[in-house]
Amino acid sequence: APISGSTGVQGVLDPTNTNASLGLVWPAGAVQAQIAMDTGLVTFYNSNNSQVGTASLPGFDSTPAFPNGELNFTAVHIPAGDIVGFNPGAASGPIPIVLLSCQDVILDGDGSTNSATNGTINGGVTLFPGGNGSSLLGATAGFGPRSGSLPAPGSLYPPIGGGGGNGGALPGGNGGAAVVIAAAGRITVNGIINVSGSRATAGTSPAQGGAGGSVRLSALLTEGIGNIATNGGADSSGGNNSPAGPI
């Protein structure tokens, strides 16, 4: 295996790929792919957010498909204007997104925050829901990490997403995901990586946004002019009292 640890079994992740033997092929008109981590199903959407097709990622033979969140690609390239998102679905526990590449991971873009002109990885939200944000929750506190000492300088943060926001009469926001990207070559981020917490339901009753997720990058070379967002979600009133996550 290359130094990233990728086996390459999922093939290439690249919207320009037209060879199914090399990896996922995006249908015509698709600009967004949502990967379900529990089933391996990929749902494609066009620029109007209408579904234009589905496919399954190659290289898995179990359910859930990616129980530890690990995706093993040969190479990853997200052109400007295209989006790859992740949905934990019914996967057990708050899994991270661990994206491994035998070669490079490249997000094209212009360094702005406009997804229309940037290749984007949306980590999505964790399974740490906000308080009263789920019919399964009766308490007002959101799920997820609450306290603890920070890692020592120079050490790696564990791949744990942000906690869900406290709720009241309104649901709190969900925490942002944890994303780990490792490449045997380079990671070029001229586009966007977004793992921000979600906003609490808007209204006058106090509810807190979800905390920001975390991003870890590992490669021989990490470069780019892009944006990595780990922001906390807005409160129901529009303020922001939720922490950003580590990068």
Side-chain angles (χ1 to χ4, degrees):
I3 60 172
S4 65
S6 177
T7 64
V9 70
Q10 268 76 61
V12 298
L13 179 61
D14 186 343
T16 67
N17 175 50
T18 59
N19 187 341
S21 68
L22 297 180
L24 192 68
V25 174
W26 291 41
V31 299
Q32 181 179 169
Q34 288 289 330
I35 300 174
M37 301 299 288
D38 56 343
T39 64
L41 182 70
V42 184
T43 305
F44 298 97
Y45 300 89
N46 63 18
S47 58
N48 295 319
N49 209 32
S50 297
Q51 184 175 324
V52 292
T54 60
S56 291
L57 276 179
F60 70 91
D61 56 5
S62 62
T63 301
F66 308 106
N68 299 317
E70 186 174 297
L71 298 161
N72 291 269
F73 294 105
T74 54
V76 177
H77 172 223
I78 313 299
D82 291 328
I83 299 171
V84 175
F86 301 90
N87 181 358
S92 176
I95 62 171
I97 305 301
V98 183
L99 195 156
L100 309 177
S101 172
C102 297
Q103 300 174 30
D104 299 328
V105 174
I106 300 174
L107 278 65
D108 294 338
D110 59 10
S112 72
T113 58
N114 182 3
S115 61
T117 57
N118 287 278
T120 301
I121 290 178
N122 271 335
V125 295
T126 70
L127 295 185
F128 293 143
N132 287 346
S134 166
S135 60
L136 300 177
L137 299 179
T140 59
F143 280 19
R146 292 290 165 194
S147 62
S149 59
L150 295 175
S155 65
L156 292 175
Y157 278 76
I160 299 175
N166 290 338
L170 296 171
N174 290 356
V179 170
V180 177
I181 300 175
R186 61 178 170 139
I187 296 175
T188 302
V189 182
N190 290 326
I192 299 168
I193 300 173
N194 181 23
V195 295
S196 296
S198 65
R199 176 175 180 160
T201 300
T204 57
S205 177
Q208 189 173 351
S214 63
V215 174
R216 183 193 300 174
L217 305 178
S218 177
L220 294 178
L221 172 66
T222 302
E223 61 181 0
I225 59 171
N227 288 274
I228 301 176
T230 64
N231 304 318
D235 300 337
S236 56
S237 63
N240 196 319
N241 291 290
S242 297
I247 300 172

